Amino acid sequence: MALAPSSWQRTPPALSDNRRKRRPDASPPSHHFHGPQSHSRLSQRLRRWFPLPPQARSVVFDMGNYVSGLFGGRQPKDNGLGLLKSWYDARSRDLTVATDEETGTAQRLLDRRVKDSRKAALEAVKRQQRQKSEPYYKKALEEARRNDGRLEEIGIEVRLKEEKLAEIRKLDKAAKEDLSELFKPLTEEEENEVHDCFHARGPSSKVLVLHEPSNIEVSKEKFQCLRPRHWLNDEVINLYLELLKEREKREPKRFLKCHFFNTFFYKKLACGKNGYDYKSVKRWTTHRKLGYELIECDKIFVPVHKDVHWCLAIINMKENTFHYLDSLGGTDHNVLNMLARYIAEEVKDKSNKVIDTSSWHEEIVDGIPLQQNGWDCGMFMLKYIDFHSRGLSLSFSQEHMEYFRKRTAKEILKLRAD
């Protein structure tokens, strides 16, 4: 029996206008913090008109061919860069990792996910109340410095001279670097061998290369990702990183002591119940497996795959810094926060030492080489690693990518990185 209208519960008139209505079929809000949701109108239109195609999940995705197909056989002026950015912007929000609690190992770097805004606000007020006021003499000193124009002028002069000195040192270092080996042309025989593997007929499942120490095999189909306008896949990237490890062992005096994590490490570390799971990767770096501990390394390379885009994170153990290299010019503090937490736990577990990563800083490198199309991010990442492992500046650009693809193909076929 239906209730009479007079018995219905009514919303007070003062509140009815301010209530937010929710559609019954609306999905629940995500528990991750995604940051600002600002996207350009062009980016939103590109995502709506051209969503990420299913074939992008395949082992070899010809991004260049896909883009030209969208534009009636013509190649757009930006070579698909705008389309890649629209996919990347739409999906990067879902890849942000947040932790449930602060660890104390990197107070400056690590953030905290807020589940209850009211509770968080109360805690913030309590923390403010507990904070001690700054001594009066410090306030007075700061005030005196602000009022002293001469000190400010001297500070500006010092900064300018330091910047000029850093630029001179950078140019001097670049002049001393021998880059001839890094751009050595392929011989005619090597060119033919690479061309045959790219274009020869035969079953796509045929294994072209087997790296026995790592048990990584690259089939004819997977090898095609090194052709121009294709996205690089895990097998090719991981095999090349294995070759870089062997190169360092062969010539330890020529190359820095580095550790190269494969493409699955960060996925494993970041996919725990709370967005961080050290236990899942704890056994990856035992002394028995590596023959060394990470604290002994100069640099640690961590490939980061953001669904449609490759980036690189570097832990510089000698300079106590973190680097994030993105060929689209972006940055991700959450990745570096997680690695700060990881390296502190790793050193404590394997070396029984305590390092305070809160005193480490993120080093921003201006003028890194950036991609100018929608398919070369993987190759940029590999060359970031190659140049950094040599201790060289990143002295390459988009125009070198076709050569680097052929060179990488040649090195993989020979199972030896030069």
Side-chain angles (χ1 to χ4, degrees):
M1 180 176 179
L3 296 175
S6 60
S7 63
W8 294 351
Q9 292 183 352
R10 295 181 180 274
T11 303
L15 300 178
S16 59
D17 294 337
N18 297 322
R19 295 181 63 192
R20 293 182 62 188
K21 295 184 179 180
R22 177 187 176 89
R23 297 198 314 272
D25 59 339
S27 57
S30 172
H31 61 277
H32 288 291
F33 171 73
H34 297 310
Q37 303 297 313
S38 59
H39 301 285
S40 66
R41 292 182 179 178
L42 177 60
S43 179
Q44 292 174 0
R45 289 174 182 171
L46 285 173
R47 290 200 305 274
R48 186 169 63 253
W49 294 338
F50 309 116
L52 183 66
Q55 59 265 39
R57 306 289 184 183
S58 63
V59 173
V60 179
F61 176 49
D62 188 341
M63 176 68 172
N65 192 37
Y66 173 75
V67 171
S68 62
L70 290 177
F71 293 87
R74 294 179 293 103
Q75 197 67 28
K77 292 182 179 179
D78 67 347
N79 288 325
L81 183 61
L83 183 59
L84 175 68
K85 286 183 176 180
S86 72
W87 291 341
Y88 178 46
D89 289 342
R91 292 175 174 269
S92 61
R93 296 174 297 161
D94 298 329
L95 296 160
T96 301
V97 177
T99 56
D100 281 331
E101 58 184 6
E102 294 172 323
T103 63
T105 57
Q107 295 130 0
R108 186 190 65 83
L109 288 169
L110 299 179
D111 295 326
R112 181 178 180 181
R113 185 173 70 197
V114 177
K115 290 185 174 179
D116 188 337
S117 58
R118 293 170 299 176
K119 183 178 178 181
L122 289 173
E123 290 178 354
V125 171
K126 290 179 181 178
R127 285 197 297 270
Q128 271 189 339
Q129 291 174 348
R130 288 196 296 267
Q131 287 178 354
K132 294 182 179 180
S133 60
E134 193 175 18
Y136 176 77
Y137 74 89
K138 287 188 177 180
K139 293 181 180 179
L141 181 60
E142 289 178 5
E143 186 67 24
R145 285 176 175 171
R146 281 197 296 268
N147 294 333
D148 192 337
R150 180 55 187 157
L151 283 177
E152 186 176 352
E153 291 176 8
I154 293 174
I156 294 173
E157 291 176 5
V158 169
R159 284 198 300 272
L160 289 175
K161 289 182 178 179
E162 286 178 345
E163 291 174 2
K164 188 175 181 180
L165 181 61
E167 189 66 26
I168 293 172
R169 287 174 176 170
K170 184 178 179 181
L171 292 173
D172 186 53
K173 181 181 178 182
K176 292 179 180 178
E177 291 175 353
D178 182 11
L179 303 178
S180 58
E181 172 61 29
L182 292 162
F183 299 96
K184 183 179 179 181
L186 275 65
T187 64
E188 184 178 353
E189 181 182 353
E190 292 169 341
E191 287 272 6
N192 292 334
E193 185 180 9
V194 171
H195 181 273
D196 290 344
C197 289
F198 281 160
H199 302 285
R201 295 180 179 180
S204 60
S205 59
K206 178 184 177 181
V207 176
L208 296 179
V209 176
L210 172 62
H211 185 256
E212 294 183 356
S214 63
N215 200 31
I216 297 176
E217 64 178 33
V218 177
S219 64
K220 185 176 182 295
E221 179 188 16
K222 294 174 182 176
F223 193 73
Q224 298 301 305
C225 76
L226 285 168
R227 295 175 62 181
R229 311 203 306 176
H230 286 67
W231 288 354
L232 297 195
N233 55 44
D234 292 280
E235 288 80 7
V236 165
I237 291 174
N238 289 333
L239 177 50
Y240 187 73
L241 295 179
E242 291 292 331
L243 299 182
L244 294 184
K245 291 180 187 178
E246 294 175 354
R247 181 181 72 178
E248 180 198 319
K249 290 180 181 178
R250 285 196 312 268
E251 302 176 85
K253 293 183 179 180
R254 281 190 61 195
F255 302 97
L256 300 178
K257 184 173 181 58
C258 302
H259 183 73
F260 307 86
F261 278 116
N262 65 28
T263 58
F264 305 113
F265 169 79
Y266 184 75
K267 295 178 185 177
K268 196 78 172 174
L269 178 68
C271 291
K273 183 178 179 181
N274 297 323
Y276 173 84
D277 188 4
Y278 174 71
K279 290 182 180 179
S280 65
V281 296
K282 181 179 179 179
R283 296 181 180 275
W284 287 40
T285 51
T286 60
H287 194 280
R288 183 177 180 181
K289 286 183 178 180
L290 302 182
Y292 57 87
E293 296 173 355
L294 294 190
I295 197 173
E296 303 170 17
C297 296
D298 297 316
K299 295 180 180 179
I300 300 168
F301 299 105
V302 183
V304 178
H305 190 222
K306 296 200 165 184
D307 201 31
V308 295
H309 184 57
W310 287 105
C311 302
L312 176 68
I314 304 176
I315 306 174
N316 192 321
M317 299 298 292
K318 296 302 179 184
E319 299 180 3
N320 295 347
T321 58
F322 297 97
H323 302 254
Y324 187 82
L325 304 180
D326 180 352
S327 56
L328 290 179
T331 187
D332 192 333
H333 301 290
N334 291 316
V335 171
L336 301 183
N337 293 342
M338 184 158 297
L339 294 179
R341 181 176 178 181
Y342 165 77
I343 196 62
E345 287 197 54
E346 171 69 13
V347 170
K348 184 177 181 181
D349 179 69
K350 302 298 191 305
S351 306
N352 198 27
K353 294 181 180 179
V354 177
I355 57 174
D356 180 15
T357 54
S358 65
S359 61
W360 295 25
H361 65 276
E362 177 185 350
E363 186 171 303
I364 306 298
V365 182
D366 294 328
I368 68 168
L370 300 178
Q371 69 184 95
Q372 303 300 319
N373 55 41
W375 49 80
D376 275 330
C377 56
M379 185 54 60
F380 269 87
M381 182 189 72
L382 287 183
K383 300 323 289 184
Y384 290 155
I385 296 174
D386 183 18
F387 276 65
H388 268 282
S389 67
R390 300 170 184 265
L392 299 177
S393 58
L394 302 177
S395 50
F396 59 87
S397 64
Q398 176 67 62
E399 65 182 14
H400 299 110
M401 289 301 114
E402 184 176 355
Y403 163 74
F404 284 145
R405 283 179 177 269
K406 291 181 180 179
R407 177 181 174 129
T408 303
K410 180 258 299 186
E411 292 174 334
I412 286 178
L413 290 172
K414 292 186 175 182
L415 289 177
R416 180 187 175 92
D418 297 326

